[in-house]
Amino acid sequence: MIIQKTENSRLSSFDPNNFSFGNTFIDHMVICEYENGKWGDVKLVPYGPLAFTPAMMGVNYGQACFEGMKAYKDQEGQVFLFRPEKNFERINKSASRLAMPEVTEEMFLDGLKALVDIDRNWIPQGEGMSLYIRPLIFATEEALKARVAEKYMFAIVATPAKSYYTEPVSVKISDHYSRAANGGVGSAKAAGNYAASFYPTQLAIEEGYDQIIWTDDATHEYFEESGTMNVFVRINDTVYTPPTSEKILDGVTRDSFIALAKKRGIEVKVEQIPVKTVIEAQKNGTLKEVWGVGTAVVTTVFQALGYQGDKLALPKLSDEESYAAILKNDLVNIQTNHSEDSFGWRVLVEKNVLETV
């Protein structure tokens, strides 16, 4: 790894009690370029702009994918990653689906650890605090030709993070727009998936909702995801979540919630969730809660569902009653080293890791 440390750290101007998620970047980033059929040297360099032109193929033809993950700091100042191998596997799955070159495990994991270690002082400490990390791959070749690019960049950037949603949200069940279709790229974290979701979400916001529950493209009869999150439904004391597919992202937080629920003895059914079943359960009082999970949000509880012009209220549960709250607490305690990690999910980032990579 080639290392170029910044001579102008911005850390002294960072206020961990007053910052904007997604707009505040740490001092360094990782970059690696692909050309002539192979990846070059991994470089850890000062964070900043790179030289590209509007003819860059990633901008014109959409060959771009990314991951979302976090680093956490415990009470003793130790820093941990959470299940980074899952993100490594998934970014390569996304890259393959978009005809881009896969990255090596060494590039991905060593790059992550080096970046987190050198900028560990940027990681805020406290409840809901973390460092959000964005690995990404995108086409950089300068050519206006609709074909697979020959040049790419792998990069890792990061921003301090705090709680995303602090209050329950209202969501509209989509009966027209879909996030993904059979045979498409729904199972990849393709940049274009997010671009396509913004307009329907904007329409939902104009109707007084915060987000959308995406339904299947063919019939709009089944739940798929919610916004940028995987979705869970609790009817009585059983939890349901749709199975992953070529339309539904294999979320790391989703997978963790399922494992934590089973450990607690909560019944989890991974199966299709009919919209009509959820609506009927809301009307007969058996629908206890609906929530979304994802890396950035961890858990977002829904307070109302919009469906065919009606706004259907959901029960207000205490943290002791809510499976969403209980499982979130279990997850966060593992991530932040407040509880035993029987799953082996937590990965310690050693200090001075740069000396060994």
Side-chain angles (χ1 to χ4, degrees), residues 274-337:
V275 174
K276 66 178 182 179
T277 298
V278 176
I279 300 304
E280 289 171 0
Q282 190 275 339
K283 292 179 178 178
N284 65 32
T286 59
L287 181 62
K288 301 302 182 183
E289 52 187 330
V290 184
W291 71 94
V293 302
T295 298
V297 301
V298 185
T299 306
T300 300
V301 175
F302 303 154
Q303 64 181 356
L305 302 176
Y307 183 65
Q308 294 185 347
D310 294 326
K311 199 167 189 177
L312 309 174
L314 295 174
K316 295 181 180 179
L317 304 181
S318 68
D319 286 351
E320 291 73 27
E321 298 172 310
S322 167
Y323 285 178
I326 290 169
L327 296 173
K328 175 185 178 181
N329 188 61
D330 288 350
L331 180 64
V332 171
N333 281 341
I334 291 175
Q335 291 171 331
T336 57
N337 198 26

Side-chain angles (χ1 to χ4, degrees), residues 217-278:
D217 63 296
T219 67
H220 298 289
E221 294 178 357
Y222 300 95
F223 278 25
E224 291 198 334
E225 293 190 10
S226 180
T228 58
M229 303 174 287
N230 292 113
V231 66
F232 285 80
V233 173
R234 175 186 170 190
I235 297 176
N236 288 320
D237 291 332
T238 301
V239 172
Y240 300 84
T241 192
T244 57
S245 66
E246 61 183 5
K247 296 192 292 179
I248 297 177
L249 193 70
D250 187 7
V252 178
T253 308
R254 170 192 176 277
D255 184 72
S256 303
F257 259 65
I258 293 171
L260 290 166
K262 290 180 177 178
K263 182 180 179 182
R264 278 189 169 269
I266 297 171
E267 184 178 13
V268 180
K269 293 187 176 181
V270 181
E271 61 186 40
Q272 287 189 317
I273 304 174
V275 174
K276 66 178 182 179
T277 298
V278 176

Side-chain angles (χ1 to χ4, degrees), residues 9-10 20 40 48 89 91 99 111-112 128 171 193 236 244 253 265 274 292 294 339:
S9 174
R10 293 169 282 105
S20 175
E89 293 168 1
I91 199 170
L112 275 175
V171 293
N193 289 348
N236 288 320
T244 57
T253 308
S339 66

Side-chain angles (χ1 to χ4, degrees), residues 119-139:
D119 281 341
R120 63 174 57 232
N121 291 333
W122 278 90
I123 306 174
Q125 201 167 16
E127 184 177 355
M129 299 293 197
S130 61
L131 182 72
Y132 182 84
I133 308 167
R134 171 58 58 85
L136 62 159
I137 307 171
F138 53 97

